[in-house]
Amino acid sequence: MSETAPGAADCLFCKIIAGDVPADVVHETDTTVAFRDIDPQAPTHVLVIPKRHEPDLVALATADPGAATDVLRAVGDVAAQEQLGEGYRSVFNTGALAQQSVFHAHVHVLGGRAMTWPPG
Ligand code: AMP
């Protein structure tokens, strides 16, 4: 099952991994879970998360590079599964100033509409 770090007990995404909080799971591997965002910002909005609790993707890559690679591979699998071949955006908000609200590493996979740049 999931590999959790001390202090992860109150983590919402750890609870989703454990099945204690329901989620619309669309993809799962030994090391990752992907589920639909509860407040979608695009026709497709999926969150890909590692089962290992780390506060953000850089921390995950530092602690376990293989797990970070697994997350990125899962992003590709989800994009293919969701038929986002025309293009999609992968976002990882890091830190409060960047609007990170859940401090368990995750990638937003957004697609199904044209994106704008720069992001807000
Ligand atoms: P961030 O703001 O980058 O930390 O992203 C956290 C995301 O988690 C937000 O887009 C929320 O809408 C989403 N979220 C919060 N609670 C849930 C939940 N129970 N199920 C699915 N997505 C959630």
Side-chain angles (χ1 to χ4, degrees):
M1 196 50 202
S2 61
E3 186 179 342
T4 55
D10 290 329
C11 171
L12 170 63
F13 287 176
C14 286
K15 290 176 182 169
I16 287 175
I17 292 163
D20 295 337
V21 169
D24 185 0
V25 174
V26 298
H27 186 269
E28 182 168 7
T29 70
D30 287 347
T31 57
T32 67
V33 178
F35 52 91
R36 296 197 189 282
D37 196 293
I38 202 167
D39 182 21
Q41 302 301 312
T44 297
H45 186 172
V46 172
L47 299 172
V48 179
I49 71 173
K51 289 183 177 176
R52 176 178 176 135
H53 179 88
E54 295 291 342
D56 58 58
L57 255 300
V58 172
L60 180 69
T62 301
D64 188 343
T69 299
D70 290 348
V71 169
L72 294 178
R73 292 180 65 166
V75 166
D77 289 347
V78 167
Q81 187 177 299
E82 296 288 322
Q83 301 182 306
L84 301 180
E86 279 193 90
Y88 61 93
R89 185 163 291 170
S90 307
V91 174
F92 44 108
N93 299 322
T94 305
L97 197 60
Q99 303 294 327
Q100 183 177 5
S101 60
V102 178
F103 289 83
H104 180 123
H106 55 280
V107 182
H108 297 257
V109 180
L110 298 145
R113 65 167 169 82
M115 300 289 160
T116 59
W117 193 263

